[in-house]
């Protein structure tokens, strides 16, 4: 796969739209909306032939970030 561009999911959606991103990644638009709402760190690689692959970048060990995310979600829902 010849990589043309690596772009954040948020920027990719701004560039081509949520529905086109969902089709390119083989998911429902609601999945894209939820990933954006949850501010997940997802990087999309776009190949020269138009094939798109998405990967989530997470810290290692991930359980530390999961604990922080859970605490942050609880505090924001309490407000």
């Amino acid at each position: 796969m010849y990589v043309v561009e690596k772009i954040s999911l948020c920027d990719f959606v701004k560039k081509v739209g949520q529905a086109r991103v969902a089709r390119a990644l083989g998911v429902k638009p609601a999945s894209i909306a939820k990933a954006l709402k949850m501010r997940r760190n997802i990087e999309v690689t776009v190949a020269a032939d138009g094939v798109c692959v998405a990967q989530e970048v997470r810290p290692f060990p991930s359980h530390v970030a999961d604990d922080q995310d859970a605490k942050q979600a609880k505090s924001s829902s309490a407000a």
Side-chain angles (χ1 to χ4, degrees):
M1 174 189 330
Y2 177 70
V3 176
V4 173
E5 180 178 26
K6 284 191 175 189
I7 187 169
S8 72
L9 179 64
C10 181
D11 289 341
F12 194 40
V13 167
K14 287 177 186 174
K15 185 176 178 179
V16 300
Q18 183 174 313
R20 287 184 65 191
V21 171
R23 276 193 303 275
L25 297 175
V27 299
K28 294 181 180 183
S31 300
I32 301 298
K34 185 174 180 180
L36 293 172
K37 182 179 179 182
M38 300 302 294
R39 306 182 92 198
R40 292 172 61 183
N41 187 12
I42 298 174
E43 184 177 79
V44 180
T45 302
V46 182
D49 59 1
V51 173
C52 297
V53 178
Q55 293 182 321
E56 184 167 12
V57 181
R58 295 183 56 139
F60 180 82
S62 64
H63 64 82
V64 173
D66 290 342
D67 292 342
Q68 291 172 351
D69 290 343
K71 288 177 186 174
Q72 191 174 35
K74 285 180 185 177
S75 66
S76 64
S77 65

